Amino acid sequence: QVLLEESGGGLVQPGGSLRLSCVASGSIFHIVAMAWYRQAPGTERELVASINAGHATSYADSVKGRFAISRDNAKNTVYLQMNSLKPEDTAVYYCNTRAYSTSLKWDDYWGQGTQVTVSS
């Protein structure tokens, strides 16, 4: 089993910054990629950013130029640096990883979610 633990969410004012962290632990053999998703009330879950083992990144158009995803392979950790935050960024943010367990089975694993609220 692969476990994901998120941290860094909270309340921030518009224009502010926040940094999310997600640590993968457990029976990990190989992490293929890691990503951040978000879901606001009344909306579908949205892919925000992703990063593969070679550090190639991709971003949703809504966050491009404001957010930055990074990865520390040695620590099995992915980060999401969020700058110039807007009220529309308010959502529950979920960490995701595609990984092989030590039993050599692959699956998509999810964190429990962390609330990000952008409000004055």
Side-chain angles (χ1 to χ4, degrees):
Q1 183 64 46
V2 176
L3 288 308
L4 300 178
E5 186 173 14
E6 301 153 327
S7 62
L11 176 65
V12 65
Q13 294 182 332
S17 297
L18 210 58
R19 189 192 191 215
L20 305 182
S21 300
C22 175
V23 180
S25 62
S27 303
I28 301 171
F29 179 75
H30 177 68
I31 294 177
V32 178
M34 303 188 82
W36 289 95
Y37 289 76
R38 69 185 182 187
Q39 186 170 20
T43 70
E44 296 183 349
R45 187 178 63 190
E46 174 190 22
L47 175 62
V48 177
S50 65
I51 184 167
N52 66 16
H55 299 280
T57 60
S58 63
Y59 297 92
D61 288 340
S62 59
V63 306
K64 198 169 298 182
R66 299 188 297 118
F67 290 10
I69 188 171
S70 60
R71 176 177 176 177
D72 187 333
N73 291 333
K75 297 180 179 179
N76 290 329
T77 301
V78 63
Y79 306 93
L80 186 66
Q81 179 66 47
M82 302 183 292
N83 299 321
S84 301
L85 283 162
K86 305 174 181 179
E88 59 237 53
D89 295 318
T90 297
V92 177
Y93 284 71
Y94 297 93
C95 179
N96 165 268
T97 184
R98 177 164 292 182
Y100 286 86
S101 70
T102 53
S103 64
L104 301 183
K105 298 178 180 179
W106 77 268
D107 206 348
D108 290 320
Y109 300 91
W110 295 90
Q112 78 286 347
T114 184
Q115 177 70 46
V116 172
T117 302
V118 184
S119 179
S120 299

